[in-house]
Amino acid sequence: MPSRKKTSMFASAFCTCVSTFVVICVVLATPQWVSSQVRYSRTGSNVTISLKYGLFSGTCEQFVDAGLQVSETTFQVADALSSAGSRALNVATIVVLVLALLSSLLSSGFTCTNAVSNPYQTFLGPVGVYTWNSLCGVLILIAMILFPVNVEGNGLSEELAQGCSTSLQTHIGSRHSYGYSYWIMLLSIFLNIASLTIIYFYDHARYSKKKEQERPIENAPKDVILF
């Protein structure tokens, strides 16, 4: 059975790993990734398309000139995308987050295993927790980079706006504001760092204790050791 100290520290790491898992589920499920205002001009008037969307779905509203509003409509992001580049980056972001979700799940399993037992395989101990937590954090960071690249570089909002109205002509400008579904990914990165920190302190304390136990033998007189 593991010591009380090991159980408490790995149990704390388990809680942070589970929290990371929950946060990633929220990120994938909610459509509040970005809010965009995309402006177009057409014959006799200007049109503003207001978009709020995530990786899977979103809503759009159309405002004409002095505030005349067309009813809000919902759309599926995958169905509204026609550009291969935008679609590929959107799919890549989803895949990366799913892999991060699996990594956080494995990390939760490893920390739970160490909280209730002493695995005999090295990779099932702190090394495994380091690996899966680090991988999860890196994958989330990649997702945080891919999505803005798709929005800013590939004109994702402009492409989705085209599907909200068929009478748009000249694009005037766009304004983007990233929502909580995007920014809470930072929370999951901090939770991964917290898990790594907890396990590091446990591993360091264990190593220091091991060295303390070996020191009396190292400092003993040679004749005593020979005896």
Side-chain angles (χ1 to χ4, degrees), residues 38-215:
V38 186
R39 299 191 65 202
Y40 290 90
S41 66
R42 65 184 182 187
T43 306
S45 63
N46 291 331
V47 178
T48 300
I49 305 295
S50 178
L51 299 161
K52 291 182 181 179
Y53 61 93
L55 297 175
F56 299 101
S57 63
T59 60
C60 65
E61 296 176 283
Q62 182 176 333
F63 299 89
V64 181
D65 283 340
L68 179 61
Q69 180 181 354
V70 179
S71 60
E72 182 179 275
T73 59
T74 60
F75 60 88
Q76 298 299 314
V77 173
D79 296 336
L81 292 177
S82 57
S83 169
S86 299
R87 184 175 296 176
L89 273 181
N90 192 64
V91 171
T93 305
I94 295 171
V95 170
V96 166
L97 282 176
V98 170
L99 291 175
L101 191 69
L102 294 175
S103 298
S104 66
L105 185 62
L106 285 169
S107 184
S108 300
F110 276 45
T111 51
C112 181
T113 300
N114 281 272
V116 298
S117 65
N118 292 313
Y120 65 91
Q121 293 184 5
T122 305
F123 188 72
L124 293 178
V127 175
V129 179
Y130 289 145
T131 301
W132 294 117
N133 269 279
S134 300
L135 181 61
C136 182
V138 169
L139 289 170
I140 293 171
L141 184 61
I142 291 173
M144 292 192 72
I145 294 171
L146 287 177
F147 187 75
V149 167
N150 204 11
V151 173
E152 308 286 347
N154 286 342
L156 180 60
S157 294
E158 290 79 5
E159 190 173 345
L160 293 173
Q162 290 287 342
C164 293
S165 178
T166 57
S167 58
L168 301 178
Q169 294 179 0
T170 306
H171 176 235
I172 300 175
S174 302
R175 186 177 60 189
H176 311 291
S177 175
Y178 295 94
Y180 71 86
S181 299
Y182 177 81
W183 291 115
I184 60 173
M185 285 192 286
L186 288 175
L187 174 60
S188 61
I189 292 177
F190 291 143
L191 287 170
N192 276 287
I193 293 173
S195 299
L196 290 172
T197 303
I198 292 170
I199 302 305
Y200 170 78
F201 278 119
Y202 163 75
D203 213 17
H204 181 71
R206 185 183 63 170
Y207 178 78
S208 299
K209 185 177 180 180
K210 185 178 179 181
K211 284 296 182 183
E212 290 268 339
Q213 292 172 345
E214 292 174 353
R215 191 170 299 164

